Amino acid sequence: MTVMTRPRETPRASPCPQDFRVVVRIDSWESTSVYPNGHFVRVLGRIGDLEGEIATILVENSISVVPFSEAQMCEMPVNTPGNPWKVSPEEERERQDLRETHLVFSIDPKGCEDVDDALSVRTLDNGHLELGVHIADVTHFVAPNSYIDIEARTRATTYYLADRRYDMLPSTLSADLCSLLGGVDRYAVSVMWELDKTYEIKKVWYGRTIIRSAYKLFYEAAQELLDGNFNIVDDIPEFRDLDEKTRQARLEELAWAIGKLTDIARHVRAKRDGCGALELEGVEVRVQLDEKKNIHDLIPKQPLEVHETVAECMILANHWVAKKIWESFPHQALLRQHPPPHQEFFSELRECAKAKGFFIDTRSNKTLADSLDNANDPNDPIVNRLLRSMATQAMSNALYFSTGSCAEEEFHHYGLALDKYTHFTSPIRRYSDIIVHRLLMAAISKDKKMEMKDNLFSNKDLEELCRHINNRNRAAQHSQKQSTELFQCMYFKDKDPENEERCISDGVIYSIRTNGVLLFIPRFGIKGAAYLKNKDGLVISCGPDGRSEWKPGSLQRFQNKITSTTTGGESVTFHLFDHVTVRISVQASRCHSDTIRLEIISNKPYMSPDTELFHQSSLLLKSDLVKEVTRSVEEAQLAQEVKVNVIQEDYQKYCQTKGRSLYMLLEEIRDLALLDVSNSYGM
């Protein structure tokens, strides 16, 4: 646990000075004492300093990721200019070679280097289409029970915080040999479907392949090609050195492939929608690395159709791999289940929607999805966003499980509307996917009546591993949330809430409580409580101009509104989905983390003097938020004549990647097939 040290009579003899966060271990607790006995372990950092607070978050979530050991790094393949890695003759004989026969390409954010998936589509001789999903073959380089495998199993996932990440695998694999970069040979595990002219699946093939991605596209360029705008060609490096005739031919070939993939994805999505697939509140975030393999940016998902195209292809691969490994190993396959939520959890969602005249039918995922699609207020798009957020909060957690531990009817994935689902498409950052890759390879060997190379987990051992991975996923989600809140607090802490423009923002009421309301601040993605009755018993009162003040009075709560009435007879009512003006400040604490404090200063919507700034995406503003916080921290450190060496040493020891600091909304993440981060509603 972490505590704050108190001043002592002899400060020089104490293990650390006042106002530092430290780790202590509780050794015993006598039944006759109100105080436990324990001992000091180590210093984490000064209270309020960025590195000290980040170290505290890691300790509180039991995240301990030291640099990879020499023994682990010795297992990594060599890939240097003097000794470049290349495909071995043995692998060429055993794998299906797609380098000359398939147009393979990836679609990712700009500058992304950890490319774990690629796609292909082509027309077969019989007129059918062949769709291919190609995933980095991590298990070729990570042998079962090797040093690096044991370390990856322990970590279970890559941990993403607001301004850094801690990798599950060394960058030699994650950003190089397992990254499906353009123009280089790579090992992959592929799933390829034969589709008829109506896009119905006729055959499926699984196996290890060798690929050479022809294009490393970014989302915006792929969308432009999908829309028929070929002017984007100058931004695609692979086209720059081609003559005009070759360029035009290849451009048309690529545009056809993207268009055909999108048509297939629309068909696949329509089938899932027909079964009740949910589109809930969330945002995809991908990590962008610079040339030194440091975090350069976290890229928010923009509303582009190519995002859905890639996502649907990954979901399709996960679904078919889930079916394959279950058919081969019905009692020891790793799948992902998402049980239906309890109906009582939807009560607040139904009541809130009713306040706006909408009916939300929660009897099934299909009726819920249709109801949410219809609950649109043309005058306020935030309403639908908040309703989907409430639906998200009502969901159960999606969890990994062993198929031998429950009945088949419990395998169903409620959110994706699929009978069987797993994670196969991100083995670089999820240990669950590594297990699934090994199961798939064993299933292929079993079909060929070959000896299985890997010793698979028994149901009991796999069940225990799933518990560990689920636990580590919760820790990753919680640490993401804590780091988000840390940067929010550090951003607002040094600002004057009375005079700073950015401390005043628009807020939307999304829940009514007995003594206040819950607010959502779209500009910063903040959720929190605003009290209508303070500690002195005074209630909020709003004059004709909307400005609020505290006066004696009482509150009366109704189902969809709350009324504040002063002893003088003045009354103000706040309804669900009302827009109000909110002041944002920080509630400081010496023993706990600081928290955001919200205060309603007007019952009228906030009108920003800079409308363009006000309507900017909160995700972009959050990126600016982290930059400003980090810049302030760096300036403060430069101003100090004495630095705490232990903080710097701990930073170098525990932080594996360091780069330009960034910020992104990491809460309420919809973890479908290829997402890098997830929250409580992780699919």
Side-chain angles (χ1 to χ4, degrees):
M1 65 179 291
T2 58
V3 298
M4 183 189 70
T5 59
R6 297 182 177 276
R8 309 212 177 176
E9 293 183 3
T10 56
R12 293 181 180 178
S14 63
C16 64
Q18 183 184 0
D19 294 335
F20 274 66
R21 295 201 188 277
V22 302
V23 179
V24 298
R25 179 173 293 278
I26 303 300
D27 298 320
S28 63
W29 199 326
E30 299 295 334
S31 59
T32 56
S33 173
V34 295
Y35 300 110
N37 299 311
H39 66 274
F40 165 84
V41 178
R42 66 184 175 97
V43 177
L44 291 174
R46 187 183 297 275
I47 293 173
D49 282 358
L50 177 61
E51 296 309 322
E53 296 297 341
I54 290 290
T56 300
I57 290 173
L58 296 178
V59 169
E60 289 179 341
N61 290 283
S62 301
I63 298 173
S64 176
V65 279
V66 297
F68 293 101
S69 70
E70 183 178 352
Q72 292 158 1
M73 295 306 296
C74 284
E75 294 178 342
M76 295 296 97
V78 176
N79 187 28
T80 63
N83 187 15
W85 178 88
K86 58 184 179 182
V87 173
S88 71
E90 294 81 4
E91 292 297 327
E92 280 187 316
R93 288 193 295 269
E94 293 185 6
R95 294 172 180 265
Q96 183 161 331
D97 195 336
L98 309 182
R99 288 174 289 184
E100 303 298 332
T101 57
H102 289 64
L103 175 65
V104 177
F105 56 92
S106 61
I107 306 177
D108 286 284
K110 282 185 179 179
C112 178
E113 292 189 9
D114 55 336
V115 182
D116 49 17
D117 57 79
L119 298 164
S120 68
V121 62
R122 64 172 184 162
T123 303
L124 300 175
D125 293 338
N126 61 2
H128 288 180
L129 290 173
E130 183 191 71
L131 167 67
V133 170
H134 314 281
I135 306 301
D137 190 359
V138 172
T139 58
H140 172 80
F141 300 99
V142 179
N145 297 317
S146 61
Y147 290 123
I148 199 63
D149 180 59
I150 293 170
E151 179 65 22
R153 188 188 313 165
T154 301
R155 299 187 184 202
T157 184
T158 291
Y159 297 96
Y160 294 89
L161 303 187
D163 67 332
R164 67 195 70 188
R165 80 179 194 178
Y166 297 91
D167 297 319
M168 185 183 79
L169 293 171
S171 60
T172 306
L173 297 180
S174 60
D176 189 4
L177 293 180
C178 288
S179 185
L180 308 182
L181 305 172
V184 293
D185 295 344
R186 288 291 182 261
Y187 295 152
V189 178
S190 301
V191 184
M192 292 188 284
W193 301 265
E194 182 178 330
L195 312 173
D196 65 17
K197 293 180 180 180
T198 63
Y199 302 138
E200 291 299 314
I201 296 172
K202 296 302 179 183
K203 295 179 184 177
V204 62
W205 180 89
Y206 309 87
R208 280 185 152 136
T209 56
I210 304 172
I211 66 169
R212 183 186 299 139
S213 179
Y215 304 102
K216 184 175 177 290
L217 300 175
F218 55 93
Y219 282 120
E220 292 77 9
Q223 186 65 48
E224 291 292 335
L225 292 176
L226 179 63
D227 295 338
N229 178 16
F230 288 3
N231 294 329
I232 196 70
V233 66
D234 292 333
D235 294 333
I236 303 175
E238 291 86 354
F239 287 106
R240 288 176 187 162
D241 298 328
L242 300 177
D243 61 76
E244 188 60 35
K245 184 178 179 180
T246 305
R247 174 191 288 198
Q248 188 63 28
R250 292 191 180 178
L251 191 57
E252 291 176 0
E253 178 187 40
L254 178 59
W256 175 87
I258 295 172
K260 195 57 67 177
L261 282 174
T262 302
D263 287 344
I264 295 169
R266 289 170 184 160
H267 176 79
V268 173
R269 175 71 198 197
K271 291 186 71 173
R272 289 201 306 112
D273 284 344
C275 297
L278 293 170
E279 180 73 30
L280 297 178
E281 172 67 9
V283 61
E284 177 187 336
V285 178
R286 296 295 299 267
V287 174
Q288 187 181 62
L289 302 177
D290 61 19
E291 65 277 2
K292 296 181 179 178
K293 309 298 184 295
N294 296 324
I295 295 178
H296 174 64
D297 209 347
L298 291 175
I299 309 298
K301 174 181 176 180
Q302 301 299 322
L304 302 176
E305 188 172 16
V306 289
H307 285 108
E308 293 300 321
T309 297
V310 175
E312 284 302 326
C313 291
M314 298 304 118
I315 293 170
L316 186 69
N318 285 333
H319 173 53
W320 278 84
V321 169
K323 292 199 299 183
K324 178 64 177 177
I325 62 175
W326 173 75
E327 289 168 359
S328 298
F329 308 105
H331 302 296
Q332 57 189 115
L334 188 153
L335 300 188
R336 190 158 173 81
Q337 63 184 171
H338 185 219
H342 298 289
Q343 285 298 307
E344 58 267 27
F345 293 168
F346 285 123
S347 58
E348 186 174 20
L349 168 65
R350 288 192 291 261
E351 292 302 323
C352 288
K354 187 177 178 181
K356 273 289 183 178
F358 301 123
F359 171 70
I360 304 294
D361 187 344
T362 61
R363 289 175 297 174
S364 70
N365 53 0
K366 172 61 175 169
T367 59
L368 175 60
D370 292 342
S371 299
L372 289 172
D373 287 342
N374 295 328
N376 272 305
D377 184 344
N379 299 317
D380 190 359
I382 291 292
V383 171
N384 187 263
R385 183 178 175 185
L386 283 172
L387 290 175
R388 291 183 186 275
S389 177
M390 291 178 194
T392 302
Q393 295 301 316
M395 295 293 158
S396 307
N397 290 334
L399 297 169
Y400 298 109
F401 71 102
S402 172
T403 51
S405 62
C406 60
E408 186 179 349
E409 56 266 23
E410 297 177 35
F411 293 3
H412 186 76
H413 197 293
Y414 177 86
L416 295 178
L418 293 170
D419 60 341
K420 293 175 184 68
Y421 191 71
T422 192
H423 275 164
F424 159 75
T425 54
S426 292
I428 289 174
R429 66 176 185 85
R430 293 186 302 224
Y431 192 75
S432 57
D433 300 51
I434 289 178
I435 296 298
V436 169
H437 274 236
R438 290 172 180 160
L439 282 163
L440 180 60
M441 292 303 103
I444 294 170
S445 297
K446 187 176 180 182
D447 289 345
K448 295 178 179 179
K449 295 182 169 49
M450 296 169 57
E451 182 182 353
M452 290 185 289
K453 296 180 181 179
D454 297 335
N455 293 321
L456 302 181
F457 285 100
S458 66
N459 172 61
K460 181 179 179 181
D461 291 339
L462 185 57
E463 201 173 1
E464 182 62 32
L465 178 60
C466 287
R467 276 196 291 269
H468 167 69
I469 296 174
N470 290 330
N471 176 274
R472 290 294 81 209
N473 281 346
R474 282 190 292 270
Q477 294 159 13
H478 195 218
S479 62
Q480 289 167 4
K481 182 175 184 292
Q482 285 181 294
S483 67
T484 296
E485 294 168 350
L486 169 65
F487 272 86
Q488 287 173 342
C489 288
M490 295 188 75
Y491 176 73
F492 288 107
K493 192 167 187 177
D494 296 328
K495 291 177 171 55
D496 181 1
E498 300 291 335
N499 302 310
E500 176 68 41
E501 178 193 341
R502 290 208 173 202
C503 292
I504 309 298
S505 189
D506 188 61
V508 186
I509 298 172
Y510 71 91
S511 187
I512 306 294
R513 295 292 186 260
T514 55
N515 60 342
V517 296
L518 298 184
L519 294 169
F520 173 61
I521 314 299
R523 180 172 168 183
F524 296 107
I526 293 173
K527 287 182 177 179
Y531 295 99
L532 303 184
K533 188 172 187 177
N534 65 17
K535 294 180 180 179
D536 298 325
L538 304 178
V539 298
I540 198 168
S541 174
C542 297
D545 61 353
R547 293 187 180 181
S548 67
E549 56 182 317
W550 297 101
K551 293 182 178 180
S554 61
L555 296 177
Q556 188 174 9
R557 178 190 175 184
F558 301 92
Q559 196 165 36
N560 300 316
K561 62 183 180 180
I562 186 169
T563 299
S564 173
T565 306
T566 67
T567 53
E570 300 165 342
S571 179
V572 59
T573 300
F574 297 91
H575 300 82
L576 278 173
F577 301 112
D578 277 356
H579 287 249
V580 295
T581 301
V582 180
R583 178 184 289 122
I584 307 169
S585 58
V586 175
Q587 184 74 43
S589 172
R590 289 176 58 80
C591 298
H592 303 284
S593 299
D594 293 345
T595 55
I596 291 290
R597 180 172 178 263
L598 303 179
E599 180 184 2
I600 296 175
I601 60 174
S602 172
N603 65 343
K604 297 183 183 300
Y606 174 64
M607 301 303 295
S608 170
D610 186 346
T611 53
E612 182 180 351
L613 175 67
F614 177 69
H615 290 292
Q616 269 187 307
S617 164
S618 64
L619 292 172
L620 295 177
L621 287 167
K622 281 176 169 290
S623 180
D624 294 337
L625 181 152
V626 131
K627 294 175 191 174
E628 184 165 334
V629 169
T630 307
R631 185 169 58 249
S632 299
V633 170
E634 291 171 351
E635 289 172 355
Q637 288 176 339
L638 289 173
Q640 292 176 356
E641 293 183 0
V642 179
K643 296 183 180 180
V644 183
N645 292 330
V646 68
I647 298 176
Q648 300 297 327
E649 291 170 2
D650 279 354
Y651 183 84
Q652 296 297 331
K653 181 178 180 182
Y654 292 102
C655 183
Q656 290 175 236
T657 55
K658 179 183 177 184
R660 184 161 62 88
S661 295
L662 305 139
Y663 192 72
M664 203 55 63
L665 178 61
L666 294 173
E667 296 182 73
E668 297 172 5
I669 300 293
R670 169 177 75 123
D671 183 12
L672 296 178
L674 70 169
L675 304 192
D676 280 335
V677 291
S678 63
N679 200 352
S680 58
Y681 180 65
M683 293 188 176

